[in-house]
Amino acid sequence: MAKAGKSPIATAPARRKAAAPLPVSTGFWLLKSEPDAFSWDALVAKGAAGEPWTGVRNYTARNNMKAMRLGDRCFFYHSNEGLAVVGIAEVCALAHPDPTDDSGSGRWECVDVRALAPMPKPVTLSDVKANPKLEKMSLVTSFRLSVQPVRPDEFAEVCRMGGLDPKALQQSSALKARK
DNA sequence: GCCAACGTTGGC
DNA sequence: GCCAACGTTGGC
């Protein structure tokens, strides 16, 4: 009777675990690269066209890239050798399939980035670790993650430590308007 | 769905 | 080159 109206469908079917929501872009990120593989100078050499940030095979890192917006700022960090933030890049193409993904799954994506400004004074990992204002930075807390979110206050602090004049940064972004 | 084994990353 | 951290894989 009362049962008649109840469809078995009323019980939600077991569904695939929802994908983790993408992080919200703060506008600031950090990209790691081993300078032997792809250095800051190599990115500078690519000029305004920039370079696809390929080869990321970690879901958290990929999701961070998917959350990136055009014009987002990315610290360029040299891992393994150098161990320092050496420049700032900007996102110049939203996430798209990674051309180096040969898994056939279409799972991996990349953004394109281009060099915006070098750090006048590279900010080393030990500089970052020594600064209490940066103790929550992913570079310290999730050091293995290759594409990390950066908070605006962290971005400002690292710029300050690197002697980077925010005005110089704005000036460089005029480059992109010119394109 | 748990968890041990394994592989990779990256600082030291 | 070592090893800690940690993501992924696969057996159960």
Side-chain angles (χ1 to χ4, degrees):
Chain A
M1 326 196 298
K3 275 190 197 140
K6 280 226 160 167
S7 139
I9 310 229
T11 350
R15 73 179 64 181
R16 185 190 304 230
K17 184 166 53 168
L22 289 186
V24 174
S25 174
T26 63
F28 304 106
W29 306 91
L30 181 145
L31 301 174
K32 280 196 217 173
S33 186
E34 302 188 10
D36 279 351
F38 190 76
S39 68
W40 169 252
D41 286 344
L43 184 63
V44 170
K46 297 287 178 180
E51 176 76 359
W53 201 253
T54 57
V56 171
R57 298 292 182 270
N58 170 284
Y59 290 107
T60 305
R62 182 205 61 183
N63 288 347
N64 285 338
M65 288 196 293
K66 289 174 82 166
M68 290 181 183
R69 302 167 308 190
L70 292 177
D72 278 4
R73 279 16 183 172
C74 305
F75 284 135
F76 194 106
Y77 176 81
H78 277 168
S79 62
N80 244 318
E81 190 185 310
L83 306 188
V85 173
V86 294
I88 294 177
E90 75 169 342
V91 176
C92 61
L94 296 175
H96 56 90
D98 182 338
T100 70
D101 176 12
D102 52 7
S103 71
S105 63
R107 197 177 354 230
W108 302 114
E109 300 185 37
C110 60
V111 294
D112 290 8
V113 295
R114 63 181 160 215
L116 198 56
M119 291 306 250
K121 173 178 172 287
V123 178
T124 66
L125 179 61
S126 50
D127 291 339
V128 169
K129 285 182 172 171
N131 186 336
K133 289 182 184 166
L134 300 177
E135 64 184 4
K136 298 256 177 60
M137 222 177 146
S138 296
L139 194 59
V140 179
T141 61
S142 316
F143 62 92
R144 288 188 54 208
L145 187 59
S146 64
V147 180
Q148 309 180 349
V150 172
R151 300 192 319 217
D153 59 301
E154 294 166 342
F155 186 83
E157 179 65 7
V158 173
C159 283
R160 188 194 63 73
M161 292 164 76
L164 188 76
D165 181 359
K167 280 185 186 152
L169 198 55
Q170 280 162 7
Q171 199 174 13
S172 297
S173 59
L175 241 172
K176 99 178 168 193
R178 194 152 41 100
K179 163 167 152 183

